[in-house]
Amino acid sequence: MRLLEFFNNLGPTRIAAMSAAAILTLGFFIFIIGRVSTPDMSLLYSELDIKDSGQIVSILEQQNIPYEVRNNGSQIYIPSSNVQRIRLSLAQEGLPSGGSLGYEIFDRSDALGTTNFVQNVNLVRALEGELARTIRSFDSIEGARVHLVLPRRELFSRETRTPSASVIVKTRANRRLEISRVRAIQHLVASAVDGLTTSKISIVDDSGNLLAQSQESENGLASAATLEEARLETESRLRSNIERLIERTVGFGKVRAEVSVDMDFDRVTESDETFDPLGQVERSTQRITENSKEIEGSDDNTVTVANNLPETQADENNPGGPINSIETNRTEETINYEITKSTTTRIQESGDIERLTVAVLVDGIQKIDENGEVTYTPRTQEELDKIASLVRTTVGYDQERGDQIEVINMQFASIDVPLQLKETTFLGLTKKDIFKIAEITMFLIIGILIIL
């Protein structure tokens, strides 16, 4: 009865005010308790594949660990006290795998009940997964997939087909992959697969741009894409050499260079043969000598007037009649000479530089005065001339070739980059812990004031 009289004496206005205050106080304490009991969430993994995110979430649910999935499933947050332990536990399970399986695929299968065909398929999948993981370890690559074609040699077949591969990469922040990185990926894949050459590896980015293809076409001539890659690689090499050299003087990030190269991709083969008539050398000599003697005598006993002459009868040395003697001498000599011959074959490979055009932009000198203001001072003409001389030497300047080099001094646009300061601690507490303690203390003070 007294309680009813007490509420009747208060009146409806006071009762409503007291009820509202009680509800607010109860809600405030519930908020504080929930805030204090909520664990501090920290990032477990980021840039996860959807498949990896699903497997990690399943393991967290089995272990009754609270988690938060953010950024469309690519980031998972868990309590800070469990981050290191969960990472070690997931590493034992081979997670995150990047959406591809490696050699751990053989740990999950029963070797006794697996056919040879399945083992070969798993081997190809394992190679593809391991190569994709290695390529993703590059700092400029976010994701990668590898497809291998390993032909099997047929029985009693003389033809041998070479392996081939295709790689698709996704770069970070949609940046274009440098030619040197593309070549590195080609050699990496070729070295990991037996019989695979870099000319059989194609690389494509996630936008469908062909980054690398066969270095030679079917007829043995360099393709147009390969020639364009050679030109771009030459420009990139010269540009890097210029910036790396000039940055040592003007400072890092204070020079930009652009190089345009005109190249001659014609392959010329010349062959010359020169004969020297004065440089004769006796190679062989052939000499033939013939001597012959022929004697003809008359042995005629017929009765003639000539035979009955006294002079003829008195010739005792020629009892058979007159004698004819024929003597022949012949000498033949053949000399073969070798004439000096000079053969010169000159092959001029493609890729000669016909003309260079270089543009170099150099920032001025920025100094901070006593008042903290930044003052800009342009560079002198003498400094620009020295920089131009260094550039000409670096790129191999040739005036007869028509090369052109321009060095200009202009102020660069300032880019404010926030500095990442090292996190300091006080009594073993980080800045985040101090803010949390201050927040709880403030809530307690407000709660005490409400009660009073």
Side-chain angles (χ1 to χ4, degrees), residues 141-156:
I141 296 178
E142 181 179 348
R145 292 197 65 182
V146 180
H147 301 280
L148 298 177
V149 178
L150 305 179
R152 184 180 61 181
R153 183 175 180 180
E154 300 294 338
L155 190 62
F156 305 112

Side-chain angles (χ1 to χ4, degrees), residues 39 95 116 158 269 384 418 449:
L95 294 174
N116 188 25
R158 295 182 179 179
T269 303
L384 297 179
L449 292 177

Side-chain angles (χ1 to χ4, degrees), residues 9 14 53 67 69 86 115 137 165 178 186 203 214 225 229 235 264 277 281 307 349 362 383 424 433 450:
N9 294 330
R14 292 183 178 181
S53 298
Y67 63 89
V69 179
I86 295 301
T115 62
S137 63
E178 298 179 358
Q186 281 186 311
I203 301 178
S214 176
E229 290 177 1
E235 293 178 352
D264 181 14
V281 179
N307 292 335
E349 295 292 345
V362 183
E383 290 179 319
T424 58
D433 296 334
I450 292 176

Side-chain angles (χ1 to χ4, degrees), residues 227 263-269 347-352 354:
L227 299 179
M263 304 183 70
D264 181 14
F265 293 105
D266 295 336
R267 190 173 185 269
V268 180
T269 303
I347 300 176
Q348 182 178 356
E349 295 292 345
S350 61
D352 290 342
E354 292 184 339

Side-chain angles (χ1 to χ4, degrees), residues 238 242 245 386-398 405:
L238 294 176
I242 294 172
L245 178 63
K386 291 181 179 179
I387 293 175
S389 178
L390 290 175
V391 173
R392 283 193 293 267
T393 306
T394 302
V395 301
Y397 175 79
D398 188 355
I405 296 178

